[in-house]
Amino acid sequence: MWKGRFKEQTAALLQSFSESISFDWRLWRHDIEGSIAHSAALEKAGLISKKERAQIVAGLRGIGEEIAAGKFRFKTELEDIHMNIEAELTKRIGDAGAKLHTARSRNDQVALDIRLYLRDECDAISELLRDLQRALVELAERNRDIIIPGYTHLQRAQPVYFAHHLLAYVEMIERDLGRVADCRKRINVLPLGSGAIAGSTIVLDRKLVAKLLGFPAITQNSMDAVSDRDFAVELLAALALVATHLSRLSEDVILWASSEFKFITISDAYTTGSSLMPQKKNPDVAELTRGKTGRVIGNLVSLLTTLKGLPMTYNRDMQEDKEPVFDSVDTVKAALAVFAGMLDGTKANAAACAAAVADPMLLATDVADYLVNRGVPFRSAHEVVGKAVALCTQRGCDLPQLTLADWRTLSPAFEKDVARCFDLATAMAARKGIGAPSPKNVAAQLARWKKSLS
Ligand code: ARG
């Protein structure tokens, strides 16, 4: 491939070791878009004629159509997407094609392509994050009256609306959206024009290129521009967090779908059977999502590790950025889409939830609060109710079965109305501080999200 200083052919072993076309072919659309904009700057500088520009644009579009139709044959000996497209262009249009790489290096070209690719993917991922928020809000809305035990340490803690639990994930995803939008700002900067490292003696109008490609900003240091992959790290970090959130949601879904909980039933379309046990209906979507999170986190660590030892500026190591980036983008997009589909077909089981939330121990804190409202310091109240729990354990009964006399042996502050602590509706209505799950609050949050997602 290299003429000029090389007398020997590249060794076949090196060719297959160094090629990236097997994975960076997918940057073709962005590579072509970038080259078309670059050719406008070449024309403006008088380096190519209007006619040559037209040949370049038509040639590139023709190549693009063939790639889109799956008819283009990529060549490993041409190493990467940039060389494949440029070589084919020159083969087709001759000299005009050979002029395209003027004042450009693959170093700024690849930086441009990844930025264009990631900018598109930020938008696609944001759409999918919104869709998942919608699926969560709709599941919450369909089951807005269902109350379940909330858990800490996976031990029953306090009652919450099922909707409140789901809306917690909607909040997490909102922050994920913020992170994607934030790193998109730093992705959205034009690196082309930085050349291999130090720009070029042939000066092109970078502002024109930025305008044509929709970049609101231009990199200001050519060395930084060709060696910077921070923006990719940022997106991988944002995606690692998206995956981590999905993984936690997966864990909830897996627990809730178990016979032990039975809070939800996932549709047949989003579950799988067992090759051996006929009764099984497995929550594979959630398990695979949880499993794939390991890869997505690994991709972040992989790219950071690739970058950490690199001297300025471009080093070939940086070619290793692509596979982790592509893998995280593909994996997270697929998980988001399949998860939303699964939630759309998920039903909550009112009876099982009601049975679980009927556990009076979930309201032990409410009894302590009852005492606090009668002047008992919280620490003493906590101890008193702890003793009541111990008494129940000893007798094998539940808190509501204790008599007023029992309660009063523990604290004289108890009155007959202690029984009212165990009314679930009253208990929920009392949780009315900002962010707490009173029915009114949860309804307001559902309304807020429905509005902002519509
Ligand atoms: N395929 C290369 C990459 O992805 C393109 C840049 C190559 N630059 C170079 N000087 N060899 O990083």
Side-chain angles (χ1 to χ4, degrees):
M1 169 171 74
W2 306 112
K3 297 186 202 125
R5 104 181 294 292
F6 290 86
K7 294 197 181 69
E8 284 177 64
Q9 280 288 325
T10 314
L13 264 178
L14 173 55
Q15 257 183 32
S16 66
F17 186 64
S18 80
E19 67 83 22
S20 55
I21 189 64
S22 57
F23 47 88
D24 70 9
W25 66 270
R26 54 193 282 175
L27 293 173
W28 66 268
R29 207 185 288 276
H30 304 102
D31 197 72
I32 287 175
E33 211 188 319
S35 287
I36 288 175
H38 181 65
S39 69
L42 293 178
E43 188 194 337
K44 189 174 177 200
L47 294 158
I48 56 172
S49 67
K50 205 175 153 123
K51 193 174 151 230
E52 285 173 317
R53 164 107 212 280
Q55 286 180 303
I56 289 173
V57 173
L60 288 171
R61 294 227 187 280
I63 292 171
E65 273 160 32
E66 275 182 33
I67 298 175
K71 287 187 196 136
F72 191 86
R73 213 179 61 79
F74 292 109
K75 299 194 182 99
T76 309
E77 59 275 22
L78 289 172
E79 213 175 280
D80 56 26
I81 186 63
H82 324 295
M83 304 290 287
N84 265 272
I85 291 179
E86 190 193 325
E88 180 63 23
L89 181 70
T90 306
K91 197 175 112 197
R92 291 185 187 191
I93 66 170
D95 269 358
K99 290 181 182 179
L100 177 63
H101 209 53
T102 307
R104 183 174 75 170
S105 155
R106 276 187 297 162
N107 297 354
D108 57 347
Q109 188 178 1
V110 72
L112 171 66
D113 291 5
I114 310 171
R115 283 174 185 269
L116 286 171
Y117 161 78
L118 287 180
R119 188 174 69 179
D120 283 352
E121 293 300 346
C122 281
D123 298 339
I125 290 163
S126 299
E127 274 294 309
L128 289 163
L129 286 166
R130 285 259 173 266
D131 289 345
L132 183 61
Q133 281 184 314
R134 252 175 239 125
L136 284 161
V137 169
E138 279 162 21
L139 179 60
E141 180 67 36
R142 289 199 297 277
N143 301 285
R144 54 187 303 158
D145 297 328
I146 290 187
I147 307 172
I148 57 170
Y151 296 78
T152 62
H153 314 266
L154 203 53
Q155 304 287 316
R156 284 182 181 170
Q158 294 185 3
V160 291
Y161 279 94
F162 182 57
H164 191 62
H165 192 137
L166 296 173
L167 289 180
Y169 284 101
V170 177
E171 296 281 348
M172 292 178 222
I173 297 170
E174 189 66 17
R175 294 193 294 276
D176 290 330
L177 277 157
R179 274 179 283 272
V180 171
D182 192 57
C183 84
R184 189 189 190 282
K185 289 183 214 150
R186 284 175 292 280
I187 288 170
N188 203 13
V189 183
L190 173 81
L192 199 72
S194 303
I197 171 168
S200 172
T201 58
I202 298 164
V203 180
L204 300 182
D205 183 355
R206 296 187 72 200
K207 286 187 183 155
L208 170 67
V209 178
K211 197 170 152 235
L212 291 172
L213 294 172
F215 285 109
I218 298 174
T219 57
Q220 298 296 309
N221 182 302
S222 61
M223 295 179 76
D224 177 42
V226 293
S227 63
D228 171 26
R229 293 293 182 273
D230 299 6
F231 58 89
V233 172
E234 282 188 63
L235 188 63
L236 288 194
L239 294 182
L241 208 37
V242 170
T244 299
H245 288 155
L246 285 179
S247 189
R248 297 187 73 172
L249 176 56
S250 296
E251 183 59 19
D252 282 344
V253 165
I254 292 163
L255 288 170
W256 289 347
S258 69
S259 303
E260 281 66 22
F261 280 77
K262 274 203 196 70
F263 290 0
I264 58 169
T265 305
I266 307 170
S267 71
D268 286 358
Y270 285 92
T271 44
T272 59
S274 156
S275 58
L276 180 85
M277 298 166 280
Q279 86 282 13
K280 291 298 285 292
K281 186 175 164 187
N282 297 327
D284 286 24
V285 169
E287 291 171 85
L288 283 166
T289 301
R290 189 178 56 185
K292 286 172 191 290
T293 300
R295 278 197 6 229
V296 176
I297 293 169
N299 289 334
L300 168 63
V301 176
S302 158
L303 183 55
L304 283 169
T305 311
T306 298
L307 294 174
K308 74 176 268 295
L310 298 185
M312 289 285 268
T313 51
Y314 179 85
N315 297 269
R316 192 61 188 279
D317 314 45
M318 289 163 77
Q319 181 168 296
E320 292 293 314
D321 62 353
K322 282 168 210 64
E323 285 158 296
V325 164
F326 293 153
D327 187 57
S328 281
V329 167
D330 293 346
T331 304
V332 168
K333 280 169 78 180
L336 286 169
V338 73
F339 228 99
M342 179 186 68
L343 293 180
D344 285 341
T346 294
K347 294 200 162 52
N349 304 324
C353 294
V357 83
D359 178 355
M361 289 297 175
L362 287 161
L363 296 169
T365 319
D366 295 51
V367 181
D369 291 347
Y370 167 97
L371 289 177
V372 168
N373 284 327
R374 276 148 195 81
V376 180
F378 179 74
R379 277 292 151 233
S380 315
H382 185 281
E383 193 184 326
V384 165
V385 181
K387 283 184 179 149
V389 171
L391 186 60
C392 288
T393 313
Q394 188 199 324
R395 290 192 193 162
C397 71
D398 274 319
L399 287 173
Q401 269 101 60
L402 296 180
T403 62
L404 183 59
D406 292 331
W407 286 113
R408 291 185 71 93
T409 56
L410 296 167
S411 165
F414 283 116
E415 310 277 354
K416 215 170 142 228
D417 61 355
V418 62
R420 265 195 255 150
C421 290
F422 300 105
D423 179 61
L424 189 57
T426 314
M428 294 315 290
R431 292 170 156 77
K432 55 182 186 239
I434 297 172
S438 73
K440 233 173 138 184
N441 281 355
V442 174
Q445 290 297 317
L446 272 173
R448 173 171 78 88
W449 282 115
K450 273 193 291 182
K451 194 167 164 226
S452 84
L453 291 168
S454 68

